Amino acid sequence: QDFTIDEKNEHIILYSHCPYKVLSYNFNGEFVMAKKMDDLYRNISFIEGKLLLLDAYMDSEYMIHSYDLKTNKKENKLRKNYMDSYFKTSGSTNSYFIKDRKLHLNLPYSDTIHEYNKQEFEPKYVIDFGKNKMSNVFEKEKNFGDYLKLAKEKNFGFGITGFREYKDYIVFMYHTRRRMVVYSKKSKQSKIIRHFKKDEIYFSNYFGHDGDDNKLISIYPVIQFKKQ
């Protein structure tokens, strides 16, 4: 289902959804341990000695659970709000956790980015689309896909993914036009970029990746690469 890295102990941690289990290997690929889990989780991340688990269906009171692999102690983090309940089955294929300079939680239906600080998730950034902000009126018969379609028709800013913080910039995508947004902390200005070209190769499919570096990464579709 997902994997994460324990950099201090040099372990690769994998979460299996069938059966529910956490598996750990060292960097040489040698088996370290396995633990049974009690539920289905959407994403995992590892920070400050704790495994963080994002509830797949978000049916519990809390969205995130902190799990200590050594003591098996489990703690609840970040209580759900009405938007989390509404979009609990949004089904985004993007990772909601991205570990860059800090660990951020990026929910595609929300304009608020949370940051993990002192073992708690706190609101850190709000992405303001101004007059193109998505309406706050949500109807029960609509789902996440319906709102993506509406956002595209009305040119609303919605479906934020791949949020990543760099030293001098903030970068993310939004689904309305599949655009990448680059925000400069120094100039306080944003640019919306569809693609740019380097050595005849188009950079267009931005991928928000783990790691404290200053690089943009793009996943280039195989068919397009072959045509190039």
Side-chain angles (χ1 to χ4, degrees):
Q1 179 78 5
D2 200 7
F3 82 97
T4 187
I5 304 294
D6 175 358
E7 297 175 3
K8 182 179 179 180
N9 295 306
E10 297 190 345
H11 287 172
I12 302 169
I13 302 172
L14 301 94
Y15 169 69
S16 164
H17 73 284
C18 187
Y20 300 154
K21 187 179 287 189
V22 168
L23 303 161
S24 181
Y25 297 84
N26 64 26
F27 281 7
N28 293 321
E30 298 164 339
F31 176 78
V32 176
M33 65 85 184
K35 287 183 181 289
K36 290 183 178 180
M37 303 301 289
D38 59 352
D39 210 342
L40 178 63
Y41 300 102
R42 178 171 286 163
N43 288 134
I44 65 171
S45 188
F46 192 88
I47 189 169
E48 298 179 3
K50 301 290 178 63
L51 182 65
L52 300 178
L53 307 134
L54 179 67
D55 226 324
Y57 298 114
M58 301 185 189
D59 288 329
S60 66
E61 185 179 354
Y62 293 86
M63 292 180 58
I64 296 171
H65 310 282
S66 171
Y67 186 77
D68 190 316
L69 292 173
K70 291 182 178 180
T71 65
N72 296 325
K73 184 180 179 181
K74 189 175 176 182
E75 296 179 348
N76 296 319
K77 306 285 183 183
L78 196 61
R79 194 185 300 270
K80 288 192 308 178
N81 61 32
Y82 79 98
M83 288 285 286
D84 301 322
S85 300
Y86 187 92
F87 287 113
K88 65 181 180 180
T89 56
S90 58
S92 172
T93 57
N94 297 81
S95 177
Y96 290 12
F97 290 128
I98 294 182
K99 187 162 53 174
D100 39 64
R101 302 175 66 82
K102 296 277 190 175
L103 175 64
H104 291 108
L105 175 66
N106 170 194
L107 302 166
Y109 52 81
S110 174
D111 57 6
T112 301
I113 305 297
H114 288 78
E115 184 176 282
Y116 191 72
N117 185 32
K118 297 179 180 178
Q119 299 193 354
E120 296 294 340
F121 277 98
E122 301 172 345
K124 181 63 183 292
Y125 295 105
V126 175
I127 299 172
D128 183 6
F129 286 94
K131 65 179 182 179
N132 296 95
K133 182 178 180 179
M134 188 70 174
S135 171
N136 289 323
V137 179
F138 294 98
E139 302 171 19
K140 290 183 178 180
E141 62 270 16
K142 287 187 178 359
N143 57 34
F144 187 71
D146 292 331
Y147 280 105
L148 282 179
K149 183 178 179 181
L150 176 64
K152 189 172 183 179
E153 292 173 354
K154 302 293 185 180
N155 199 28
F156 288 137
F158 187 70
I160 299 164
T161 59
F163 178 95
R164 197 168 188 278
E165 182 174 18
Y166 300 82
K167 180 181 178 182
D168 299 319
Y169 298 92
I170 286 173
V171 180
F172 61 90
M173 292 279 290
Y174 70 102
H175 277 296
T176 309
R177 291 286 186 267
R178 292 299 300 163
R179 298 292 191 260
M180 179 172 68
V181 178
V182 179
Y183 171 80
S184 168
K185 296 179 183 178
K186 292 183 177 179
S187 69
K188 311 293 184 185
Q189 297 293 315
S190 298
K191 286 189 177 181
I192 300 176
I193 299 171
R194 182 175 181 179
H195 62 254
F196 50 91
K197 189 165 68 171
K198 172 71 173 176
D199 298 330
E200 302 303 317
I201 299 294
Y202 281 97
F203 184 110
S204 58
N205 296 284
Y206 165 71
F207 176 72
H209 62 286
D210 279 10
D212 184 10
D213 57 39
N214 202 39
K215 295 180 173 64
L216 293 175
I217 290 180
S218 175
I219 296 179
Y220 204 74
V222 174
I223 297 299
Q224 292 184 27
F225 184 76
K226 185 178 179 181
K227 289 180 178 178
Q228 290 280 2

